[in-house]
């Protein structure tokens, strides 16, 4: 007696993304043709970002995503994506009144840190603040600098001080207009920044109702955020930013431009060979998330020769183990000495092996490790 057709045993886990999937029905809002960004979500709520291309004649979709992704079937392909960014809005904060007798008025925003977003160049090369300035109800435009601006242009500049507060500066009447006396000056902006991000699956609440939006979720963690640059990083990268003049020519230029991109904490560049075009090329490696890789790629596309091949890749983590033998002063408390040595090696922000201290691929010599360990109470390493 025929009982039916045998079915393949369902997979319990996918160790790699499928190259193609077939949808039960193509969503009406998805047009076939060029690839578009989508999210692939598994039964646990975890997922990954993919480039999806729908075919014209069927429900088949071609997927292109990162290697090494492990998902648990069944899978759901999410097309209806919208971008989100960090920050709480501070509406119409009163900064003060205009005074036409003062060149270059300086107003300090009460909230900090102000949210900056990648893209555009209102505040600097490749990034823009969220500050919107109005003078007597007229919106002024943010620019990176006053140089080259006319005396009647309604522009302003933002700057950060050492305490993290944002200053809004107006023109002096020569480069940039002065606000007229008695003008009410207000600013709307957003606050909130940092590299820390909420895990996947935690963005589920809609604070303000939106028409036709019933639920939200994030199968992948957000990325692209960055903490404020510490003073030592500013000292290291500031000379390089002056030497590039916004253009990437040498390998060092590529590294500097990539490292200064929003959301990038570490980057390195290495010369390589392009077998297809039979010429030298630069490969750039970024030691952060996918959003940082995209940010570095966008910054380099704007700075390098468009006729040259551009390769920006995420750096691959390599586990390393280090075993140390310490000869301690017998008059010291051993546990306290060992704890100080461990902090010198691992504790943020200054530990030798703390996050973002070493450069990508940077060699670490024994003498440098020993120098970190030779603290009071350590006789030999």
């Amino acid at each position: 007696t025929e009982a039916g057709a045998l079915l393949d045993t369902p997979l319990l886990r996918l160790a790699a993304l499928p190259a193609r999937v077939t949808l039960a029905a193509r969503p009406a809002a998805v047009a076939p043709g060029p690839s578009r960004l989508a999210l692939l979500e598994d039964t646990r709520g975890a997922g990954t970002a993919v480039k999806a291309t729908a075919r014209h004649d069927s429900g088949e979709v071609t997927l292109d995503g990162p290697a090494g992704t492990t998902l648990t079937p069944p899978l759901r392909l999410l097309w209806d994506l919208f971008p989100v960014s960090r920050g709480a809005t501070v509406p119409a904060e009163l900064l003060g009144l205009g005074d036409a007798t003062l060149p270059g008025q300086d107003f300090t925003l009460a909230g900090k840190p102000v949210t900056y977003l990648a893209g555009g160049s209102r505040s600097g090369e490749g990034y823009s603040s969220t500050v919107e300035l109005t003078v007597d109800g007229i919106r002024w435009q943010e620019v990176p600098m006053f140089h080259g601006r006319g005396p009647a242009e309604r522009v302003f500049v933002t700057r950060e001080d050492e305490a993290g507060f944002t200053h809004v500066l107006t023109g002096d009447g020569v480069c940039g207009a002065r606000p007229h006396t008695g003008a009410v000056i207000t600013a709307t902006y957003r606050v909130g920044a940092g590299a820390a991000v909420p895990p996947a699956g935690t963005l589920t609440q809609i604070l303000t109702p939106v028409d036709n939006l019933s639920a939200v979720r994030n199968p992948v963690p957000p990325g692209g955020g960055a903490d404020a640059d510490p003073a030592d990083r500013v000292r290291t990268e500031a000379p390089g930013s002056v030497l590039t003049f916004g253009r990437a020519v040498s390998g060092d230029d590529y590294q500097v431009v990539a490292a200064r991109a929003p959301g990038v904490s570490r980057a390195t560049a290495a010369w390589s060979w392009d077998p297809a075009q039979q010429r030298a090329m630069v490969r750039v490696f970024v030691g952060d998330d996918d959003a940082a890789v995209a940010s570095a790629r966008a910054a380099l596309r704007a700075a390098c020769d468009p006729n040259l091949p551009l390769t920006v890749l995420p750096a691959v983590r390599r586990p390393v183990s280090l075993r140390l033998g310490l000869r301690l002063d017998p008059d010291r408390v051993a546990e306290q000495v060992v704890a100080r040595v461990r902090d010198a090696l691992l504790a943020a922000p200054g530990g030798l092996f703390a996050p973002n201290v070493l450069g990508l691929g940077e060699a670490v010599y024994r003498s440098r490790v020993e120098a970190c360990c030779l603290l009071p109470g350590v006789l030999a390493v």
Side-chain angles (χ1 to χ4, degrees), residues 21 25 77 113 122 132 136 140-141 144-145 163-164 172 182 214 278 319 350:
V21 295
L77 190 61
R122 295 197 307 271
E132 296 181 359
D136 267 356
W140 286 35
Q141 179 185 2
M145 62 184 69
D172 59 2
S214 60
Q278 292 293 298

Side-chain angles (χ1 to χ4, degrees), residues 25-32 36 54 79-80:
R26 181 188 302 149
V30 178
R36 56 181 292 179
W79 298 92
D80 298 327

Side-chain angles (χ1 to χ4, degrees), residues 60-158:
E60 187 175 277
V61 178
T62 302
L63 302 179
D64 182 13
T69 302
T70 301
L71 299 175
T72 303
L75 305 180
R76 175 180 293 178
L77 190 61
L78 305 176
W79 298 92
D80 298 327
L81 308 183
F82 58 90
V84 296
S85 56
R86 193 171 188 170
T89 300
V90 178
E93 179 181 306
L94 178 62
L95 301 184
L97 301 178
D99 187 346
T101 65
L102 297 177
Q105 284 189 267
D106 186 340
F107 302 96
T108 304
L109 302 181
K112 70 171 185 177
V114 168
T115 303
Y116 287 81
L117 302 177
S121 297
R122 295 197 307 271
S123 303
E125 186 179 329
Y127 65 95
S128 301
S129 80
T130 53
V131 178
E132 296 181 359
L133 187 73
T134 58
V135 179
D136 267 356
I138 299 176
R139 184 174 296 172
W140 286 35
Q141 179 185 2
E142 183 181 6
V143 293
M145 62 184 69
F146 288 118
H147 176 71
R149 299 292 174 173
E153 291 191 57
R154 298 167 177 160
V155 294
F156 69 96
V157 170
T158 56

